[in-house]
Amino acid sequence: MENRQEIETRLGKQVVDLDKVIHFPRGIIGFEDRKRFTLLQIRPEAPFLVLQSMDDPGLGLLVADPYGFMPEYTLKIGDAEQKLLQVDKREDLAVLVTVAIPPGKPEETVISLTGPILINHAAKIGIQVPQTDIKGPTKLKLNTADLTPIQ
């Protein structure tokens, strides 16, 4: 287990390859002091991942690729963020948004489009980039039969 670390999560014990740890220099909004995260797959076919803190077993954010639900999703990233992420093109970044599933009400699942998490997997760096000038919905209600934007 030289290059691996076992961590306790809400998904149970997980062994994480340390090469897959992503450094968040600014942390995540609300958790600015947490800097090391990894992405955990819930199930191979699931559209959601868990952005799991390596240092806080209770901190795991449910995330998803917004383009799988809303292909027209757009985001703005400034030069400072691109420099911090060490990328020249937005296409070199993974884009994730947080997912909220109310307890006992999976039919009310929503993705938040206002605080995308951008990850440069090559450099293992991530940041959250709040979107202040969103054109369109700020949240998207997920329903397998009908995706309905909510304001």
Side-chain angles (χ1 to χ4, degrees):
M1 291 230 325
E2 177 178 310
N3 200 26
R4 297 165 71 88
Q5 179 180 339
E6 184 173 277
I7 59 173
E8 189 64 47
T9 73
R10 292 186 291 180
L11 299 174
K13 282 192 193 310
Q14 301 282 324
V15 177
V16 175
D17 183 341
L18 294 178
D19 291 340
K20 300 208 188 255
V21 173
I22 304 158
H23 179 70
F24 281 76
R26 300 179 186 165
I28 300 285
I29 294 171
F31 306 98
E32 288 81 3
D33 58 334
R34 308 301 196 286
K35 308 288 187 192
R36 296 179 338 123
F37 288 83
T38 192
L39 287 167
L40 301 176
Q41 194 168 40
I42 299 170
R43 291 190 316 270
E45 72 282 1
F48 307 127
L49 299 167
V50 174
L51 184 64
Q52 176 65 50
S53 169
M54 291 294 293
D55 304 307
D56 182 349
L59 178 56
L61 302 173
L62 196 59
V63 295
D65 177 344
Y67 299 105
F69 302 102
M70 188 178 179
E72 69 278 11
Y73 178 63
T74 58
L75 64 92
K76 291 185 181 164
I77 176 170
D79 292 340
E81 284 90 0
Q82 276 190 241
K83 186 174 181 175
L84 185 61
L85 285 162
Q86 301 174 16
V87 293
D88 296 321
K89 309 184 301 276
R90 199 202 63 69
E91 293 77 29
D92 295 335
L93 296 172
V95 178
L96 299 170
V97 293
T98 55
V99 179
I101 303 175
K105 297 181 180 177
E107 69 279 1
E108 294 182 21
T109 298
V110 296
I111 58 173
S112 173
L113 303 172
T114 59
I117 295 164
L118 308 180
I119 298 172
N120 175 345
H121 282 292
K124 298 178 184 60
I125 298 171
I127 60 171
Q128 190 169 20
V129 182
Q131 301 293 294
T132 54
D133 190 23
I134 290 187
K135 306 279 189 255
T138 59
K139 293 184 179 185
L140 184 68
K141 184 174 180 180
L142 302 187
N143 180 333
T144 52
D146 175 31
L147 292 180
T148 310
I150 56 176
Q151 300 293 347

